[in-house]
């Protein structure tokens, strides 16, 4: 009998999950419960998990097709399903605040949706925390589904018909240089501005730091609309802030959430998280 339980973390989205060991082979009913809960809650937090890379990848495959890491693939052509977040080099050494890698990762401190610059963007991200800073390092989540539901109906129907360009080089080159091969592998991608969850029909807009412009609007109108939607989605009372603990596994739904890191002092603290992503099902224009 399944012992899995979901307890809401926030009035509108997010749940803490108990009664499941993600490092073990999961029963079909638990996998189904987690998939259903992702459609409902958008972000799930599991504590005290005894994770390994092998278990992490096996769990990822339960939820869909793993997405190759675009940074490694774009630069070298190698397929690797993991990303490493943080500043750890080995048991004794870490990278500080001035290290280029730390600066590159600071791009994650802007509100974004993972892989939104891909033709088929990531559906889910799965992060596991192995080492966490004593201070800082919080990840915040904001729901573009909740924000869409709060918009006046006239605004909803206006944006329903629009398309948005997401562009990795636009967003990241403002933070740190992008490898030329990597940049060439990621041209700007046109998405629907409003996406619909295929399981429950709930709608959300789809922006974040990679959203460069709205197709057909002038530069200033386009920027204003993206900024207004961002402000609507990230009102402090509508944000869930996750303070990481060692052993936390967190899954989030990139189709409808944005997230951002709040940063930490890399000169002072160590941080090590491993990350996989689950590919989306199709380009958003054919959803
Ligand atoms: Fe991210």
């Amino acid at each position: 009998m399944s012992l899995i339980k979901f307890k809401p973390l926030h009035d509108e989205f997010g749940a803490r999950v108990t009664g499941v060991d993600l490092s073990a082979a999961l029963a079909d009913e638990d996998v189904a419960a987690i998939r259903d809960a992702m459609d409902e809650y958008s972000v799930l937090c599991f504590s005290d998990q005894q994770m390994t890379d092998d278990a992490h990848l096996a769990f990822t495959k339960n939820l869909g097709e793993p997405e190759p890491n675009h940074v490694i693939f774009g630069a070298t052509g190698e397929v690797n399903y993991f990303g490493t977040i943080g500043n750890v080099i080995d048991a004794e050494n870490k990278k500080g605040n001035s290290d280029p890698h730390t600066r590159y990762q600071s791009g994650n401190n802007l509100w974004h949706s993972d892989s939104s610059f891909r033709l088929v963007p990531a559906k889910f991200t799965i992060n596991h925390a192995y080492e966490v800073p004593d201070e800082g390092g919080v990840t915040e989540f904001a729901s573009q589904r909740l924000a869409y539901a709060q918009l006046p109906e006239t605004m909803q129907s206006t944006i329903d018909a629009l398309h948005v360009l997401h562009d990795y080089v636009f967003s990241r080159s403002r933070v740190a240089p992008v490898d030329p091969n990597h940049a060439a592998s990621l041209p700007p991608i046109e998405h629907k501005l409003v996406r619909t969850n295929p399981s429950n029909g709930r709608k959300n807009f789809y922006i974040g730091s990679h959203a460069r412009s709205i197709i057909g609007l002038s530069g200033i109108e386009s920027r204003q609309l993206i900024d207004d939607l961002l402000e609507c989605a990230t009102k402090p009372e509508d944000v869930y802030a996750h303070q990481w603990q060692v052993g936390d596994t967190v899954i989030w739904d990139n189709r409808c959430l944005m997230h951002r890191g709040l940063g930490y002092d890399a000169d002072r603290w160590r941080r090590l998280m491993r990350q996989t992503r689950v590919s989306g099902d199709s380009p958003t224009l054919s959803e």
Side-chain angles (χ1 to χ4, degrees):
M1 191 188 82
S2 176
L3 298 173
I4 197 164
K5 285 200 166 52
F6 301 90
K7 184 169 174 239
L9 279 167
H10 180 280
D11 287 347
E12 303 290 345
F13 64 96
R16 181 163 297 286
V17 189
T18 55
V20 65
D21 173 5
L22 298 180
S23 69
L26 296 187
D28 290 349
E29 60 184 317
D30 284 346
V31 172
I34 290 168
R35 284 168 171 262
D36 288 349
M38 285 303 292
D39 284 328
E40 173 68 22
Y41 294 110
S42 307
V43 54
L44 299 178
C45 306
F46 306 73
S47 304
D48 301 320
Q49 297 295 316
Q50 304 298 313
M51 194 57 86
T52 62
D53 276 357
D54 285 348
H56 193 149
L57 188 57
F59 175 58
T60 305
K61 289 177 177 172
N62 276 321
L63 299 181
E65 199 61 39
E67 179 185 273
N69 179 307
H70 67 89
V71 181
I72 297 170
F73 185 78
T76 70
E78 180 200 339
V79 172
N80 183 311
Y81 294 121
F82 282 90
T84 302
I85 294 161
N87 61 342
V88 166
I89 298 170
D90 57 31
E92 268 94 50
N93 299 293
K94 61 180 171 57
K95 295 169 181 165
N97 291 322
S98 60
D99 187 278
H101 184 73
T102 307
R103 278 180 37 228
Y104 170 77
Q105 290 201 351
S106 71
N108 294 318
N109 299 351
L110 301 169
W111 286 109
H112 67 284
S113 168
D114 288 334
S115 306
S116 72
F117 44 82
R118 291 186 119 155
L119 180 64
V120 179
K123 183 193 281 184
F124 303 143
T125 297
I126 305 168
N127 253 27
H128 183 78
Y130 289 92
E131 296 189 57
V132 302
D134 285 0
E135 290 172 14
V138 166
T139 302
E140 290 190 328
F141 296 92
S143 172
Q144 299 170 99
R145 177 190 287 175
L146 169 62
Y148 178 87
Q150 293 169 343
L151 294 174
E153 270 179 44
T154 49
M155 180 68 163
Q156 289 178 342
S157 51
T158 300
I159 69 170
D160 277 354
L162 295 174
H163 289 180
V164 57
L165 212 56
H166 284 242
D167 182 350
Y168 180 84
V169 177
F170 159 77
S171 56
R172 284 307 173 102
S173 56
R174 293 188 295 180
V175 178
V178 178
D179 173 275
N181 289 337
H182 187 198
S185 72
L186 295 171
I189 296 291
E190 184 175 339
H191 291 301
K192 285 183 181 173
L193 178 57
V194 175
R195 304 182 66 180
T196 304
N197 180 300
S199 300
N200 57 25
R202 297 184 67 185
K203 289 181 169 181
N204 61 269
F205 53 80
Y206 187 57
I207 55 164
S209 64
H210 306 305
R212 183 173 111 181
S213 57
I214 305 291
I215 311 276
L217 297 192
S218 71
I220 189 128
E221 288 172 324
S222 167
R223 195 66 253 161
Q224 189 68 52
L225 177 55
I226 293 171
D227 288 348
D228 288 350
L229 293 175
L230 184 70
E231 190 180 326
C232 176
T234 58
K235 296 185 291 297
E237 64 272 24
D238 289 343
V239 166
Y240 166 65
H242 187 76
Q243 177 75 60
W244 293 89
Q245 307 293 326
V246 171
D248 281 355
T249 304
V250 176
I251 317 174
W252 62 86
D253 187 342
N254 290 297
R255 295 171 300 180
C256 62
L257 292 190
M258 287 183 287
H259 61 283
R260 67 172 177 179
L262 292 190
Y264 66 103
D265 185 350
D267 288 341
R268 192 164 174 206
W269 307 112
R270 291 168 63 90
R271 181 188 220 196
L272 176 61
M273 296 208 275
R274 294 283 277 166
Q275 179 179 104
T276 59
R277 296 176 184 175
V278 175
S279 289
D281 300 323
S282 60
T284 66
L285 294 184
S286 55
E287 279 178 344

